[in-house]
Structures are given as C-alpha cells and as structure tokens.
Amino acid sequence: MEKMEIRWHGRGGQGTVTAAKVFADACLSGGRYVQAFPEYGPERAGAPLRAYNRISSKELRMHCPVTHPDVVVIVDPTLIESIDITEGAKDDAKFIINTSKDPAELRKKLNLKPTQKLYTVDATKIAIECFGRPMPNSPMVGALNRVTGLVDLETLLEDVKKSFGKKFSQKIIDGNLLAVKRGYEEVKEG
C-alpha cells in the first residue's frame, strides 16, 4: 500500500471527526504517515459533516480534501437519502456503512459498480450494547480497520485507550474497546 484515502460521512455529535483522528493515530503508531482533518462547516449537532484520512508509507505533501477516496465510511446511514456518498469514489472503492439493513438492498440503492465493495456493520446497536449510548464511532473504527488491514487490532486498541483515557471513566473506556473489537469482528461483506 503506497497511499490510501478515506472519506467519512457523519453528523455532528456522532464522533466522526474523533474516529478519523483515532484511526490516523493508530496508523501513525503502526509506522505510517497520516493526515486526519474535518471539512470545515457548521459543526452543529446533527449537521452533516465530512472528515478525511490520508495514510501512506511515504511522506504526505498534499493538503487538499480527499476527492477520490479508496474507502468511504458512512457513520450515519440517513445521509444516504440526502447526499451522494459515492461521489468521486474510485472504481475499486470500499464502502463501510453503519446499518442493520441488507447489504444487497443497499448495493442496489447506491448503484455501486460491480468492482466496488460494500461492507455493513450495525455500529449503533453495538455502541448501545457496549456502553449504553448510540455513538457509532468506535465500532466504525474497528470495522474500518478490519476492511483496510492497515494496522493490527492491538495497536488500534492501544490508541483508542490513549485517546479516551484522559476524558472518560474506565467503564466508558472498556465499553469503547469492546465496541471497537465487535465492529472489527461483526463487519460483513455484502
């Protein structure tokens, strides 16, 4: 892998920007060059937002938004109704969607090319079961890691622990670690 570009779609308040940052930190710990940045706009709770990762084995010199992503992560599936999440995606792009819906149904709705892959994980349900809040970001990070294979799970969990450690109780940290693991294990290709 020389370079991988990831575009995240979520809504304010779901931890999408945090998820992009945590994933980048884990890749950095895994010895890669990384970028993680949100698309600036009104950061209101519930407002649609995008975040980006650029991950490379070589130094990164570009600082523009990701326009042709290799991977598209949809944290909030309601966005599928209102925006074109496939915009600019490469012909071999991978889409990871937080949903309980049938992958075949989504594939048809999104009109994906046969060369594009679709993965689903019920990240909201996992989050509620693991730490009692509908915050899908941790399971989505786990799912993204499984699909891309960019960093080993232990490194990812260490970085999640580090980034949550300062702000949250042990119970919340443990719940998030479990949610990352379950996202990793429960993501399925559709």
Side-chain angles (χ1 to χ4, degrees), residues 59-169:
E59 202 174 332
L60 289 161
R61 290 201 171 82
M62 12 177 5
H63 293 280
C64 51
V66 169
T67 48
H68 300 292
D70 299 288
V71 183
V72 180
V73 183
I74 298 92
V75 180
D76 189 316
T78 64
L79 291 168
I80 292 170
E81 307 299 329
S82 53
I83 60 172
D84 177 10
I85 60 152
T86 64
E87 176 201 346
K90 292 186 177 156
D91 286 345
D92 62 350
K94 297 173 165 118
F95 293 84
I96 307 168
I97 305 177
N98 168 19
T99 183
S100 57
K101 285 195 174 119
D102 174 50
E105 178 191 324
L106 282 171
R107 180 175 262 295
K108 206 157 78 194
K109 185 182 183 95
L110 293 170
N111 199 13
L112 297 184
K113 298 176 175 135
T115 49
Q116 293 174 325
K117 289 191 167 155
L118 174 72
Y119 299 85
T120 60
V121 62
D122 196 343
T124 302
K125 176 175 160 260
I126 291 171
I128 292 167
E129 288 174 1
C130 290
F131 53 88
R133 292 178 62 208
M135 286 284 282
N137 58 342
S138 292
M140 292 306 284
V141 167
L144 174 62
N145 192 44
R146 177 69 177 271
V147 168
T148 61
L150 282 178
V151 63
D152 63 88
L153 188 57
E154 283 315 305
T155 304
L156 178 63
L157 293 170
E158 276 307 309
D159 276 80
V160 169
K161 210 181 289 180
K162 265 193 295 215
S163 66
F164 281 77
K166 300 169 196 69
K167 297 179 268 193
F168 298 100
S169 70

